[in-house]
Amino acid sequence: MASPTHAALAHDDAPPELRHHFPDLAKQREASSLGMWVFLVTEVLFFGGMFLAYAIYRETHRRAFEGASNLLDLKLGATNTIVLIVSSLTMALAVWASGRSRKNATVLFLVLTMLLGATFLGIKYVEYKQKFERHEVPGPHFVVPQDEETHQPLPRQSEMFFSLYFCMTGLHAIHMIIGLGLVSWLVVRARRGEFSERYNTPVDMVGLYWHFVDIIWIYLFPLLYLLGRHTL
Amino acid sequence: MSAHGKGHGGVGAYIGVFLTLMALTLLTVWAAYQHLGIWNTPVALGIATTKAALVALIFMHLKDSPKLTAMVVGSSLLFLAFLIFVTASDYLTRKWVPIYFR
């Protein structure tokens, strides 16, 4: 523990948000940002393994994967892509507003981001429900689906496509749910007026996370929904 | 880094990126239905990577971040490349039969 004199020296006119081990808020902010990016890098490799598994199996069982991929609802997937892009815009604007001490605008943009995130999950729910009804969920109740064009049953490996589909979109959805929790926490703090031009690091960091989750979807959408459409 | 506390980029840049992302989304859906031969996958991935880069550079302020941050991001891409390259070099060459076994 620092002695009172030392603390008094260090914190003479220090802002309340400044932790004692940082010389100033700019350094503290840079450390937070770097830490967040390091976390996101681990996430890149976390999702990367799944993307790689998908790429390898798609290459090995091309017909099964393309046929199963064409069974996904492109309209719902594209709508969700647009919903997420709009939510990234509102998140960026929330960071912008919080950095300019605009409390009401910050709260508004954060709430909008949450609504869009919830919309995404709602659409995802509709899609998942469809898959359960059509017995496209891997497991004992899986029924090998038919090709949309030829009405011939797809190869058995179409089940693998749906396994990877549920793993990847499910993991992404878990990230979205965590993101919604984080943004709701920001709404509470923003309403208390805790963010200002001087200090808005939490909004900035959750923003990084939110945009990262958007980037994952930017790759999931073409890989799961689009590749193979031209064969129809 | 004095601009840090204020957040970077103007609202104008955000709107511009947003509109570009929307246009690229429509473009990738359209391109998916074209018969481009082996180019369908590269085009889809290229558009996705352009979108991801825009989000990272502008929305995530990577453009105005310290070099150290850029290095961390670069290292993630490097290790992702290792992961893909080493695994693919196994799976994609498994059917290769040495010439004296044919």
Side-chain angles (χ1 to χ4, degrees):
Chain A
M1 274 307 287
S3 69
T5 358
H6 178 249
L9 276 174
H11 288 261
D12 228 1
D13 48 0
E17 297 92 354
L18 183 64
R19 309 286 173 130
H20 70 89
H21 46 281
F22 288 109
D24 54 49
L25 276 174
K27 279 271 179 297
Q28 179 174 318
R29 187 186 191 87
E30 265 188 54
S32 297
S33 170
L34 184 65
M36 194 66 199
W37 275 104
V38 168
F39 164 67
L40 294 181
V41 161
T42 69
E43 292 267 280
V44 167
L45 292 168
F46 184 23
F47 278 97
M50 289 198 154
F51 279 108
L52 179 63
Y54 178 77
I56 298 273
Y57 286 121
R58 185 180 187 105
E59 191 54 40
T60 355
H61 309 291
R62 187 173 277 272
R63 215 166 67 75
F65 270 59
E66 284 190 344
S69 159
N70 286 342
L71 295 173
L72 297 184
D73 194 323
L74 179 61
K75 280 197 191 106
L76 292 182
T79 311
N80 256 350
T81 308
I82 289 168
V83 168
L84 266 199
I85 292 174
V86 181
S87 83
S88 254
L89 174 69
T90 56
M91 189 72 225
L93 291 173
V95 174
W96 177 86
S98 68
R100 277 168 181 71
S101 312
R102 296 191 187 170
K103 185 179 148 187
N104 291 337
T106 308
V107 173
L108 173 73
F109 285 129
L110 288 174
V111 170
L112 279 176
T113 308
M114 285 185 71
L115 285 176
L116 290 158
T119 308
F120 176 93
L121 288 170
I123 293 175
K124 207 73 232 164
Y125 165 78
V126 173
E127 275 194 86
Y128 275 15
K129 190 160 165 278
Q130 236 174 44
K131 303 266 168 312
F132 274 93
E133 283 165 1
R134 293 184 189 161
H135 296 278
E136 289 170 349
V137 180
H141 301 292
F142 182 78
V143 177
V144 175
Q146 288 186 346
D147 191 290
E148 275 203 321
E149 280 285 274
T150 60
H151 298 290
Q152 295 296 310
L154 286 171
R156 192 72 181 85
Q157 290 87 3
S158 51
E159 192 172 5
M160 279 169 72
F161 172 85
F162 285 108
S163 293
L164 284 160
Y165 166 83
F166 278 104
C167 279
M168 294 165 91
T169 58
L171 187 63
H172 178 265
I174 290 171
H175 278 78
M176 289 292 297
I177 293 167
I178 294 170
L180 280 181
L182 290 171
V183 179
S184 60
W185 166 70
L186 288 182
V187 170
V188 174
R189 293 190 63 180
R191 280 172 58 99
R192 280 195 221 127
E194 287 185 25
F195 305 126
S196 64
E197 199 168 336
R198 191 181 64 211
Y199 178 77
N200 72 334
T201 309
V203 190
D204 208 6
M205 296 307 110
V206 174
L208 288 179
Y209 174 85
W210 192 271
H211 297 309
F212 172 79
V213 176
D214 186 21
I215 287 181
I216 294 295
W217 184 260
I218 283 175
Y219 280 98
L220 283 178
F221 173 60
L223 286 175
L224 293 175
Y225 292 77
L226 290 179
L227 293 183
R229 291 280 163 182
H230 59 284
T231 57
L232 282 182
Chain B
M1 305 313 301
S2 58
H4 249 291
K6 295 173 185 171
H8 334 253
V11 171
Y14 292 153
I15 304 277
V17 167
F18 165 73
L19 293 175
T20 315
L21 290 173
M22 286 300 208
L24 287 173
T25 304
L26 296 179
L27 180 70
T28 193
V29 173
W30 175 81
Y33 282 99
Q34 310 307 310
H35 290 265
L36 306 174
I38 57 159
W39 290 102
N40 277 96
T41 305
V43 165
L45 286 176
I47 293 174
T49 303
T50 312
K51 287 166 79 181
L54 279 173
V55 172
L57 289 172
I58 310 296
F59 282 170
M60 298 170 88
H61 312 138
L62 195 56
K63 192 166 74 77
D64 303 308
S65 289
K67 282 213 173 65
L68 183 59
T69 309
M71 214 178 80
V72 167
V73 176
S75 77
S76 92
L77 300 180
L78 182 71
F79 278 91
L80 189 63
F82 285 159
L83 178 72
I84 294 171
F85 179 78
V86 174
T87 315
S89 64
D90 170 3
Y91 275 92
L92 301 184
T93 56
R94 285 191 181 185
K95 283 179 192 157
W96 291 12
V97 179
I99 203 145
Y100 44 84
F101 284 155
R102 284 189 194 161

